[in-house]
Amino acid sequence: MSSSALSAAAAIAAAVISLATLVVTTVVTSRREQHKWVRNALTDAFVAFLDASWRGTDALAAREGEEELAKAYADMRSNLTRLRLLASAPVVAAGVELLRSQRAAMTAQEGTTTAALEQCTLGRRKVVEAAKQEMGLR
């Protein structure tokens, strides 16, 4: 083989290796970015869901109007939908349990509100634990 043929073969080999490296890098970067996006979206959904729960609980404790309670509950439902799209079944189950506890607290009879609010607190703890598990923080 002549030196020009060897040079051409080396150039082709270098181009193929370069292309393979580019493809692998693109795939790995894409997966990493997708994972980062999902983690950020999950964090946002967890925070919004828990924030809405706290707003509802605070409104109940302060005996604020029905409007704030309804808004907080609607926000919880909306963010639970986001969690259904992004999170695993245990996270969704904890979220549903908290949403039900929140509804029970909203409709609790006078004198049983404190116990209902305690259930909300327990529900939030379960959501936080499920969130940590989901995000690999435990």
Side-chain angles (χ1 to χ4, degrees), residues 10-20:
I12 290 172
V16 168
I17 291 170
S18 179
L19 179 62

Side-chain angles (χ1 to χ4, degrees), residues 12-98:
I12 290 172
V16 168
I17 291 170
S18 179
L19 179 62
T21 302
L22 177 65
V23 169
V24 168
T25 302
T26 301
V27 169
V28 168
T29 301
S30 176
R31 286 185 182 162
R32 196 175 297 144
E33 286 300 313
Q34 182 181 14
H35 181 72
K36 183 179 176 182
W37 180 87
V38 168
R39 186 180 176 104
N40 288 339
L42 262 174
T43 300
D44 291 346
F46 284 133
V47 169
F49 182 74
L50 292 168
D51 178 65
S53 175
W54 275 114
R55 283 188 290 113
T57 298
D58 291 347
L60 272 171
R63 306 224 184 280
E64 292 180 13
E66 294 292 317
E67 189 175 312
E68 179 56 31
L69 285 172
K71 171 123 176 55
Y73 188 77
D75 289 348
M76 284 183 73
R77 286 182 56 151
S78 175
N79 284 294
L80 183 57
T81 299
R82 289 172 61 199
L83 289 175
R84 286 179 198 273
L85 294 171
L86 296 168
S88 65
V91 170
V92 173
V96 168
E97 184 179 334
L98 176 54

